Amino acid sequence: MPDTFLTELYCSATGDTLPRDRLLNLSPAGKPILCRYDLEGIRGAVDRDQVAARPPGMWRWAELLPLPLTQSPVTLGEGDTPLLPAARLGRELGLPKLWVKDESGNPTGSFKARGLSAAVTMATHLGAEAFAIPSAGNAGGALAAYSARAGKPCHVFVPADTPVITQQEVIAYGGNLVRVEGLINDCGKVVAARREALGAFDVSTLKEPYRIEGKKTMGLELAQQLGWRLPDVIVYPTGGGTGLIGMHKAFAELAGLGWIDSDKRPRFVSVQSTGCAPVVRAFEAGAQHAVPWENATTRAYGLRVPGAVGDFLMLAALRETNGTAVAVDDEALLADMLVLGQLEGINACPEGGACVTAVRALKEQGWLSADDEIVIFNTGAGTKYLETLPPLPTETIKPI
Amino acid sequence: MPDTFLTELYCSATGDTLPRDRLLNLSPAGKPILCRYDLEGIRGAVDRDQVAARPPGMWRWAELLPLPLTQSPVTLGEGDTPLLPAARLGRELGLPKLWVKDESGNPTGSFKARGLSAAVTMATHLGAEAFAIPSAGNAGGALAAYSARAGKPCHVFVPADTPVITQQEVIAYGGNLVRVEGLINDCGKVVAARREALGAFDVSTLKEPYRIEGKKTMGLELAQQLGWRLPDVIVYPTGGGTGLIGMHKAFAELAGLGWIDSDKRPRFVSVQSTGCAPVVRAFEAGAQHAVPWENATTRAYGLRVPGAVGDFLMLAALRETNGTAVAVDDEALLADMLVLGQLEGINACPEGGACVTAVRALKEQGWLSADDEIVIFNTGAGTKYLETLPPLPTETIKPI
């Protein structure tokens, strides 16, 4: 068996091939770089039941991941999160076939663990000595944890008003935290300006080739958990959009392998906040690219991404799958975060709540029907955001 | 195949048999009730490789759990947490065979999910309509989540100075929270006084028969993850002690099944805080029972348990395995919580840090040696405790 089934890297815009033996950020065209695999070779080497029987964690999809098979990943046990039926919520919404893919149990409490495990693994494999990242919230903590696991320093740049817990966790893992009085795009500019002096490799979303490979494992798992078939609809909160683009890629690879029926693809729904909805605006305008959002503001911090380098890939995935894009407001999404907890017991983050709000709206519009099998993503633990809730009612008593 | 391999319930002190068709708290002798299984029957029905190949989660150990096999558990995907090598920390400590069983990825971010999934499942199965619990921290959030998942109300009684996040999460899951100006034992008294009026079943630690059955799955997983063998030493933070007693029971069951070598048992180490160390004091005194600790105080909130109904079972497990008990101080355990994060990338809680401190001390004393294979437990996510840390240094800059 070869040491890897990764055959090449290529520019997502031009298709030009790029070398896979060195650290790379964006392509010469300034666009995300993607991985291509030898699916024929994988099909001859392993079958889906073998992959399913391996011990849990996203690295059991080794043949579909970029690390040579003889190497050890930088891992904290990420992946294989539960796919939970949401029967009570489904009844309330009139959608009996509703599921929640619950990412809150990943290391560091969010889906960011998958992407950063892959990125730190590959960058370490290719010689990086330190890392830098802009983060709206969860990515910073995840990078700090995986950098610690790799024994390398990291530098995390966050908006100064990011939830305090997401700042503290960076430092708890030994990362260097810098608070920027601005948004994630401002943080990205600081990373670009400082990374050389820091000797740090930039692991910004879609500005290196491998975070998306980690994120795509959400789609691989979903197919397996449903018995090697796909749902009708996937509702996904999109900031940078790596997960959505990654799952779209995953389904194409699974179809290429013959591990799922190649015809059916879920309709993707991109969920954003009305306070920052560049992809929704571009989708509705029929545009190929999104114009950066001015004065972005939302308490779903993961959605506070005014402009994303992978915007055109998100928009293409929505259109290719007959999907759509929905903006929901903060009050509604925070209320639905609590609905997910109170009806289903799920440790929901604001972005997970936003998906519920979007589903509610799409059902009312008739875009979703009771026949649809729907998977919404709870992308992280609500625990980090409880500080953003108003004081909640309680009773205090003396001991008896 | 029979519908269950649970043959009987029995009093842990007298051995008297009790009926398994109804809701029970303590035995007539006032002691914990335990479950016994038909190991011979299980051996004929399933083998360990079949259990290992099932989809992840603690309920795949169905034959060794109390719920009838045809029934569905109340589950959020708990269990199958990673067993992580701790190579960098091991080098620092001179203990090259060091592992961390990392429970932080469970639903609600702690090992309490296992016990409460089992308890809420069984109580619901046997007719309970509501739940009540005293909690030093994580158990309350876990009960609230599983009660929500079961569609039942719950009442959670916590010390008023419990970390704010652990209080907020109870309410976020729709639980009724009451803050008591006292310790967990005071909360327990309030539960006993109010449960009848509330119509609630008391799911206090070891005061019903099934939380321990959920907790024992940590031991079942550990054996499987190590290739059906056991480590030399298990270092475990003990408040109520259910996990330690549960794993001791699990290893006996695995040996009875012939799924592990029956001779070797890990030496158990009970870790407590110098501010609340009733088990350590009783162990050192050679006592069978622990005297309740006066004026308990520690920032490892899960260890702030002055008296535990299962104290005699913990002490027996320590002695039967040639184990020991260690008290560590708060400053050291909080520092080691950060060491776990900074050297290994683990989302460590104070109780996980306490295990590192205990290992450090036992190595210095010569009780542990470089030959020992050691598993320490990180029982929950540190995220909930970041508020207890002092403000950490950071830099704030203007955008560029």
Side-chain angles (χ1 to χ4, degrees):
Chain A
M1 203 195 294
D3 194 31
T4 181
F5 293 97
L6 176 67
T7 52
E8 60 178 19
L9 301 184
Y10 64 99
C11 172
S12 59
T14 66
D16 292 347
T17 299
L18 295 152
R20 63 178 169 84
D21 63 348
R22 67 199 68 172
L23 290 167
L24 290 176
N25 286 114
L26 291 175
S27 73
K31 296 297 176 186
I33 297 174
L34 300 177
C35 293
R36 185 171 287 131
Y37 296 86
D38 170 15
L39 299 180
E40 202 60 45
I42 293 173
R43 189 150 40 173
V46 68
D47 67 38
R48 66 189 192 183
D49 295 333
Q50 289 174 292
V51 173
R54 291 173 181 166
M58 76 171 203
W59 289 96
R60 67 191 173 82
W61 302 92
E63 290 82 359
L64 281 165
L65 289 171
L67 185 69
L69 300 173
T70 50
Q71 302 287 309
S72 295
V74 179
T75 179
L76 290 160
E78 54 292 328
D80 273 319
T81 56
L83 179 66
L84 301 171
R88 201 167 291 109
L89 177 60
R91 271 195 297 277
E92 184 185 300
L93 299 174
L95 296 168
K97 294 189 275 182
L98 184 65
W99 300 89
V100 178
K101 178 76 170 160
D102 184 11
E103 292 288 303
S104 67
N106 275 305
T108 72
S110 92
F111 69 153
K112 297 288 182 187
R114 299 178 188 259
L116 273 311
S117 174
V120 170
T121 291
M122 288 304 293
T124 300
H125 176 65
L126 295 169
E129 290 298 338
F131 304 100
I133 198 169
S135 171
N138 282 314
L143 176 64
Y146 287 93
S147 297
R149 192 80 184 147
K152 312 274 184 199
C154 76
H155 305 274
V156 175
F157 299 81
V158 300
D161 62 351
T162 292
V164 173
I165 289 182
T166 64
Q167 299 185 34
Q168 283 176 309
E169 70 175 337
V170 171
I171 299 172
Y173 292 120
N176 300 294
L177 180 73
V178 178
R179 305 161 79 236
V180 179
E181 290 171 351
L183 297 177
I184 189 171
N185 297 43
D186 300 302
C187 298
K189 286 178 200 159
V190 179
V191 169
R194 290 196 184 183
R195 67 182 171 197
E196 204 170 308
L198 293 168
F201 180 65
D202 180 355
V203 290
S204 298
T205 303
L206 286 171
K207 291 187 182 168
E208 58 75 55
Y210 305 112
R211 278 175 71 175
I212 185 172
E213 295 301 300
K215 283 282 190 73
K216 84 177 179 190
T217 60
M218 295 188 295
L220 301 174
E221 287 173 20
L222 189 55
Q224 183 199 322
Q225 287 172 311
L226 288 173
W228 303 107
R229 60 181 184 79
L230 299 178
D232 297 303
V233 179
I234 289 177
V235 182
Y236 191 84
T238 49
T242 327
L244 189 149
I245 304 166
M247 286 194 279
H248 193 51
K249 183 173 189 288
F251 299 150
E253 289 170 356
L254 288 173
L257 285 166
W259 291 5
I260 55 169
D261 176 343
S262 61
D263 289 337
K264 181 181 161 183
R265 295 292 163 81
R267 288 132 65 200
F268 276 113
V269 178
S270 159
V271 181
Q272 301 198 308
S273 160
T274 50
C276 182
V279 171
V280 177
R281 186 168 62 183
F283 181 80
E284 289 174 353
Q288 305 296 311
H289 285 268
V291 178
W293 195 267
E294 297 289 327
N295 304 315
T297 173
T298 169
R299 282 159 73 200
Y301 294 94
L303 302 181
R304 204 168 54 154
V305 181
V309 67
D311 56 358
F312 69 103
L313 298 169
M314 270 190 268
L315 289 161
L318 299 180
R319 293 188 178 118
E320 284 169 21
T321 64
N322 297 309
T324 190
V326 180
V328 298
D329 76 45
D330 269 27
E331 201 176 335
L333 71 86
L334 290 173
D336 277 331
M337 161 178 156
L338 294 180
V339 166
L340 261 179
Q342 294 172 3
L343 289 187
E344 298 294 345
I346 290 170
N347 187 358
C349 60
E351 297 80 4
C355 291
V356 174
T357 310
V359 164
R360 223 182 263 286
L362 291 171
K363 175 64 167 45
E364 274 171 31
Q365 294 164 26
W367 197 89
L368 289 174
S369 81
D371 289 337
D372 286 321
E373 183 168 45
I374 303 159
V375 176
I376 73 178
F377 273 74
N378 180 48
T379 46
T383 319
K384 295 186 195 177
Y385 302 92
L386 291 176
E387 72 181 44
T388 71
L389 293 181
L392 296 162
T394 182
E395 176 192 3
T396 304
I397 63 172
K398 303 268 179 219
I400 55 174
Chain B
M1 204 195 292
D3 193 34
T4 181
F5 293 97
L6 176 67
T7 53
E8 60 178 17
L9 301 185
Y10 65 98
C11 171
S12 60
T14 67
D16 291 346
T17 300
L18 293 153
R20 62 178 168 85
D21 63 348
R22 67 199 69 172
L23 290 168
L24 289 175
N25 285 116
L26 291 175
S27 73
K31 295 296 176 186
I33 298 175
L34 300 177
C35 294
R36 187 171 285 132
Y37 297 87
D38 171 16
L39 299 180
E40 203 59 46
I42 294 172
R43 191 152 38 176
V46 67
D47 68 36
R48 66 189 192 182
D49 295 333
Q50 289 173 290
V51 173
R54 292 174 181 165
M58 78 172 202
W59 289 97
R60 66 190 173 84
W61 302 92
E63 290 82 358
L64 281 166
L65 289 170
L67 185 69
L69 300 173
T70 51
Q71 302 287 309
S72 296
V74 179
T75 178
L76 290 161
E78 54 292 329
D80 272 320
T81 55
L83 178 67
L84 301 171
R88 201 167 291 108
L89 177 59
R91 271 196 297 279
E92 184 185 298
L93 298 174
L95 297 167
K97 294 189 276 181
L98 185 64
W99 300 89
V100 178
K101 177 78 169 158
D102 183 12
E103 291 289 303
S104 66
N106 275 306
T108 73
S110 92
F111 69 152
K112 297 288 182 186
R114 298 179 189 260
L116 273 312
S117 174
V120 170
T121 291
M122 287 304 293
T124 300
H125 175 64
L126 295 169
E129 290 298 336
F131 304 99
I133 199 170
S135 170
N138 282 314
L143 176 63
Y146 287 95
S147 297
R149 192 83 184 144
K152 313 271 183 201
C154 78
H155 306 274
V156 176
F157 299 82
V158 300
D161 62 350
T162 293
V164 173
I165 289 184
T166 64
Q167 300 185 32
Q168 283 176 310
E169 68 175 338
V170 171
I171 299 173
Y173 292 121
N176 298 296
L177 180 73
V178 178
R179 305 160 79 237
V180 179
E181 290 172 350
L183 296 177
I184 188 169
N185 297 42
D186 299 302
C187 298
K189 286 179 201 158
V190 179
V191 169
R194 290 197 184 182
R195 66 182 170 195
E196 205 171 306
L198 292 169
F201 180 65
D202 180 355
V203 290
S204 298
T205 302
L206 285 172
K207 291 188 181 167
E208 59 73 57
Y210 305 112
R211 277 176 70 174
I212 185 174
E213 295 300 300
K215 282 283 190 73
K216 85 178 179 190
T217 60
M218 295 188 294
L220 302 175
E221 287 173 20
L222 188 54
Q224 183 200 324
Q225 288 173 310
L226 288 173
W228 303 107
R229 60 180 185 79
L230 299 177
D232 297 302
V233 179
I234 288 177
V235 182
Y236 191 83
T238 50
T242 328
L244 190 147
I245 304 165
M247 285 193 280
H248 194 50
K249 183 172 188 288
F251 299 151
E253 290 170 354
L254 288 173
L257 286 166
W259 292 4
I260 56 169
D261 176 342
S262 61
D263 289 337
K264 181 181 161 183
R265 295 291 163 84
R267 289 133 64 201
F268 276 113
V269 179
S270 159
V271 181
Q272 301 197 307
S273 160
T274 49
C276 182
V279 171
V280 177
R281 187 168 62 184
F283 181 81
E284 289 173 353
Q288 305 296 311
H289 285 269
V291 178
W293 196 265
E294 297 289 326
N295 302 315
T297 174
T298 169
R299 282 160 72 200
Y301 293 94
L303 302 180
R304 203 168 56 154
V305 181
V309 68
D311 56 357
F312 69 104
L313 298 170
M314 271 191 271
L315 289 160
L318 299 181
R319 293 187 178 119
E320 284 169 22
T321 64
N322 296 309
T324 191
V326 181
V328 299
D329 76 46
D330 269 27
E331 200 175 336
L333 72 86
L334 290 173
D336 276 331
M337 161 178 157
L338 294 180
V339 166
L340 261 180
Q342 294 173 2
L343 288 187
E344 298 295 344
I346 290 170
N347 186 358
C349 60
E351 297 80 3
C355 290
V356 175
T357 310
V359 164
R360 223 183 263 286
L362 291 171
K363 175 64 166 46
E364 273 171 29
Q365 293 164 26
W367 196 89
L368 290 173
S369 81
D371 290 337
D372 286 321
E373 183 169 45
I374 303 158
V375 175
I376 73 177
F377 274 75
N378 180 48
T379 46
T383 319
K384 296 185 195 177
Y385 303 92
L386 291 175
E387 72 182 44
T388 69
L389 294 180
L392 296 162
T394 182
E395 176 191 2
T396 304
I397 63 171
K398 302 269 179 217
I400 56 173

